Amino acid sequence: MLIKNVRILGGEPVDIAVVNGLIAEIRPAGSAGPRQDGEGAAEAGLPEVVEGRGAIALPGLVDLHTHLREPGREDAETVQTGTQSAARGGYTAVHAMANTMPVADTAGVVEQVWRLGQEFGHCDVQPVGAVTVGLEGKQLAELGAMADSAARVRVFSDDGRCVDDAVLMRRALEYVKAFDGVVAQHAQEPKLTKDAQMNEGVISGRLGLSGWPAVAEEAIIARDCLLAAHVGSRLHVCHVSTAGSVEIIRWAKSKGWNVTAEVTPHHLLLTDELVEESPNGSYNPIYKVNPPLRTRADVEALRSALADGTIDVVATDHAPHPVEDKETEWAAAAMGMVGLETALSVVQEAMVDTGLLDWAGVAERMSAAPARIGRLPGHGRPLEVGAPANIVLYDPTARAEVDPSSFASKSRNTPYEGMTLPGRVLATFLRGRPTVLEGKLA
Ligand SMILES: [Zn+2]
């Protein structure tokens, strides 16, 4: 197969020849090549030539933080629909969070998710294992058995809940060292956030909603950085949302400690002001998310931190919920937003069009770094000869209104409905096989 006229990381136009799922040749666009392009592709039912029309080519995106909801909440999402959503967003691999029903806290459940991914996945599905049994924060789960299973788990997280017991967190950090694993912490001190509804600040005061203080996140991050340093292990901080968290992570990195961090697209673009006033009215639960949307100053700090590498990764925290769980009163509504199909556009809007990040920076933070942190072989590699042909073609000049009814996800809880965002994923290739072509599932 030949992918014609694309610009790798926004560079000069090239043609990319793909053979047996690998990048076989990269040459200046339109120049004659020695090989018979597309030979054998037609017999395999694949397109022989894909016209890139000058699109930007990036390595297939990798998400460190996706909720696929299967098993247990197939009304919200399944492995099939979630990975279709991922493919449409340019992803070739996702890490599936463990807060399913049953919880992915045994080798049996992570293997079940892994097999569902093999069978129904439109991208690779890498299960995340729970840190504690049932996410209950009382007893360590079978981390070693999950690591040794067919699912080869390397990322462990109780995401949705915080591992707030310092002794358990220390043991988990010690335990994962044996197999080069990492503990991904959802940093939320539970007592400081009891009944919390939105960011604690001027607006929560005005609206009379109970506040979710920044310190609840920052205190856990500080503690866990110290624990990770103490036991010499790897810590990953999920969905960093405050300027103070950024400062703590910057300090931990300056010490040479093995700490990485992610930020979500929504925390790079949206603020708590939307809870008070938005095109969707006030108190609209579409903006209810964990951690909560913060202030403009926090958004600025998160953007700078992502630009300078203090924050390593953009992770979607794709959190599908059925309509009845979101379209209800604020206090009763579920927390979370879908994000896979809008992530690249939001990152372009917040980071690229603002001059904070170039396309090489986007590739590092949305593909290479998450693959490295998740120890995911075959993903996050630069687009060069010999690498697996995991590729996304992206047109940054397109602009369109976000239309949730077009999503492949089973859920529609996007905060961007009606917003005009830049960019469009034209095609996604998983080991040379198109999962998306012309913006549609292939
Ligand atoms: Zn979380």
Side-chain angles (χ1 to χ4, degrees):
M1 184 181 62
L2 189 67
I3 303 170
K4 287 175 77 170
N5 188 20
V6 295
R7 298 181 294 124
I8 296 175
L9 306 181
E12 292 301 310
V14 295
D15 297 340
I16 302 175
V18 174
V19 177
N20 294 330
L22 300 176
I23 296 175
E25 194 180 356
I26 299 173
R27 57 180 189 239
S31 62
R35 70 177 73 244
Q36 276 294 86
D37 300 307
E39 199 177 343
E43 293 88 82
L46 298 173
E48 294 179 34
V49 174
V50 173
E51 296 287 348
R53 300 184 198 96
I56 288 174
L58 302 172
L61 307 184
V62 176
D63 196 13
L64 262 180
H65 195 144
T66 304
H67 297 277
L68 291 178
R69 303 294 190 217
E70 189 176 3
R73 284 307 301 268
E74 290 84 354
D75 58 325
E77 197 78 288
T78 63
V79 168
Q80 181 171 346
T81 59
T83 56
Q84 286 174 333
S85 182
R88 286 203 58 206
Y91 288 86
T92 51
V94 298
H95 287 75
M97 275 298 174
N99 63 340
T100 46
M101 295 188 294
V103 171
D105 58 1
T106 64
V109 180
V110 293
E111 284 189 351
Q112 180 191 352
V113 174
W114 181 75
R115 288 210 180 83
L116 285 167
Q118 298 269 306
E119 191 168 353
F120 300 109
H122 292 245
C123 67
D124 286 348
V125 173
Q126 175 57 54
V128 172
V131 176
T132 68
V133 174
L135 307 177
E136 285 180 348
K138 298 201 175 91
Q139 186 189 341
L140 276 191
E142 305 167 0
L143 309 186
M146 290 188 273
D148 291 341
S149 74
R152 234 196 98 263
V153 175
R154 290 295 177 272
V155 181
F156 296 87
S157 182
D158 273 3
D159 182 63
R161 299 207 193 151
C162 181
V163 181
D164 66 312
D165 182 315
V167 176
L168 265 184
M169 187 62 185
R170 174 191 177 156
R171 287 209 196 105
L173 286 163
E174 282 171 337
Y175 199 161
V176 299
K177 282 166 70 178
F179 34 84
D180 194 26
V182 62
V183 180
Q185 175 70 294
H186 171 116
Q188 179 190 353
E189 210 293 317
K191 287 183 179 157
L192 284 170
T193 50
K194 193 167 181 296
D195 301 323
Q197 293 290 326
M198 69 170 294
N199 178 50
E200 181 178 301
V202 178
I203 294 174
S204 67
R206 253 195 325 251
L207 296 181
L209 290 173
S210 44
W212 188 309
V215 65
E217 175 174 310
E218 294 155 5
I220 294 290
I221 295 176
R223 181 202 75 177
D224 288 353
C225 287
L226 294 165
L227 282 174
H230 182 61
V231 304
S233 188
R234 282 209 291 147
L235 170 72
H236 178 73
V237 185
C238 296
H239 42 51
V240 170
S241 72
T242 78
S245 299
V246 166
E247 278 188 60
I248 294 160
I249 292 160
R250 192 171 281 137
W251 166 76
K253 287 192 166 186
S254 77
K255 297 277 197 184
W257 298 344
N258 216 334
V259 175
T260 55
E262 71 190 31
V263 62
T264 71
H266 46 273
H267 288 108
L268 290 170
L269 195 64
L270 308 177
T271 70
D272 63 351
E273 292 164 31
L274 291 163
V275 183
E276 182 171 45
E277 190 182 345
S278 83
N280 301 308
S282 52
Y283 294 95
N284 190 322
I286 202 71
Y287 303 114
K288 187 174 176 184
V289 64
N290 178 352
L293 300 177
R294 304 285 189 182
T295 67
R296 278 171 200 263
D298 293 307
V299 167
E300 289 307 314
L302 294 168
R303 288 183 181 188
S304 306
L306 185 65
D308 72 19
T310 302
I311 294 176
D312 306 78
V313 165
V314 176
T316 66
D317 196 5
H318 177 81
H321 289 292
V323 166
E324 62 272 22
D325 290 355
K326 281 304 268 190
E327 292 184 6
T328 176
E329 60 171 317
W330 179 278
M335 289 182 277
M337 302 166 168
V338 292
L340 288 165
E341 289 170 77
T342 47
L344 198 45
S345 288
V346 173
V347 168
Q348 184 187 341
E349 172 94 354
M351 300 300 296
V352 180
D353 291 353
T354 51
L356 290 166
L357 216 54
D358 59 13
W359 292 108
V362 172
E364 164 64 20
R365 286 155 184 78
M366 296 183 80
S367 177
R372 204 160 56 229
I373 292 164
R375 301 292 193 254
L376 207 55
H379 288 278
R381 300 259 307 268
L383 297 181
E384 56 193 25
V385 172
N390 296 324
I391 305 170
V392 50
L393 304 186
Y394 183 72
D395 175 9
T397 65
R399 279 192 85 79
E401 199 172 287
V402 176
D403 174 14
S405 71
S406 73
F407 285 174
S409 172
K410 249 191 188 184
S411 293
R412 302 280 182 262
N413 50 305
T414 173
Y416 310 113
E417 178 169 9
M419 270 178 77
T420 298
L421 288 176
R424 180 165 185 255
V425 171
L426 300 176
T428 309
F429 302 88
L430 176 62
R431 287 180 287 279
R433 183 167 279 274
T435 54
V436 170
L437 283 174
E438 305 286 346
K440 297 189 176 68
L441 290 169

Short mmCIF file of all heavy atoms in Angstrom, two decimals, residues 65 159-160 186 238-239 290 317, ligand 1:
data_model
loop_
_atom_site.label_atom_id
_atom_site.label_comp_id
_atom_site.label_asym_id
_atom_site.label_seq_id
_atom_site.Cartn_x
_atom_site.Cartn_y
_atom_site.Cartn_z
N HIS A 65 -5.37 6.51 29.25
CA HIS A 65 -6.47 6.64 30.22
C HIS A 65 -7.82 6.66 29.49
O HIS A 65 -8.35 7.71 29.17
CB HIS A 65 -6.26 7.95 31.00
CG HIS A 65 -7.09 8.05 32.24
ND1 HIS A 65 -6.63 8.64 33.39
CD2 HIS A 65 -8.36 7.65 32.51
CE1 HIS A 65 -7.58 8.59 34.32
NE2 HIS A 65 -8.64 8.00 33.80
N ASP A 159 -8.08 4.10 39.35
CA ASP A 159 -8.68 5.33 38.84
C ASP A 159 -10.20 5.37 39.01
O ASP A 159 -10.89 4.39 38.80
CB ASP A 159 -8.36 5.53 37.36
CG ASP A 159 -8.95 6.84 36.88
OD1 ASP A 159 -8.54 7.88 37.39
OD2 ASP A 159 -9.87 6.81 36.04
N GLY A 160 -10.65 6.57 39.36
CA GLY A 160 -12.02 6.76 39.81
C GLY A 160 -11.99 6.92 41.33
O GLY A 160 -12.76 7.67 41.92
N HIS A 186 -4.91 8.29 40.87
CA HIS A 186 -6.00 9.27 40.78
C HIS A 186 -5.91 10.07 42.09
O HIS A 186 -6.35 9.60 43.14
CB HIS A 186 -7.33 8.53 40.64
CG HIS A 186 -8.54 9.40 40.77
ND1 HIS A 186 -9.43 9.59 39.74
CD2 HIS A 186 -9.02 10.12 41.81
CE1 HIS A 186 -10.41 10.40 40.14
NE2 HIS A 186 -10.19 10.73 41.40
N CYS A 238 -2.32 10.73 37.24
CA CYS A 238 -3.42 10.88 36.29
C CYS A 238 -3.94 12.33 36.29
O CYS A 238 -3.83 13.04 37.29
CB CYS A 238 -4.58 9.96 36.67
SG CYS A 238 -4.19 8.21 36.58
N HIS A 239 -4.53 12.71 35.20
CA HIS A 239 -5.28 13.97 35.03
C HIS A 239 -4.95 15.09 36.03
O HIS A 239 -5.79 15.46 36.86
CB HIS A 239 -6.78 13.70 35.01
CG HIS A 239 -7.30 12.70 36.02
ND1 HIS A 239 -7.02 12.76 37.36
CD2 HIS A 239 -8.09 11.61 35.86
CE1 HIS A 239 -7.62 11.75 37.98
NE2 HIS A 239 -8.27 11.04 37.08
N ASN A 290 -14.37 14.66 37.02
CA ASN A 290 -13.45 14.39 38.12
C ASN A 290 -12.05 14.17 37.55
O ASN A 290 -11.86 13.23 36.78
CB ASN A 290 -13.92 13.14 38.87
CG ASN A 290 -13.00 12.76 40.00
OD1 ASN A 290 -11.91 13.31 40.15
ND2 ASN A 290 -13.40 11.77 40.78
N ASP A 317 -8.95 10.48 29.43
CA ASP A 317 -9.94 10.16 30.47
C ASP A 317 -11.34 10.05 29.86
O ASP A 317 -12.33 10.49 30.45
CB ASP A 317 -9.91 11.19 31.61
CG ASP A 317 -10.63 10.67 32.86
OD1 ASP A 317 -11.06 9.50 32.87
OD2 ASP A 317 -10.76 11.44 33.82
ZN ZN B 1 -9.51 9.51 37.46
#
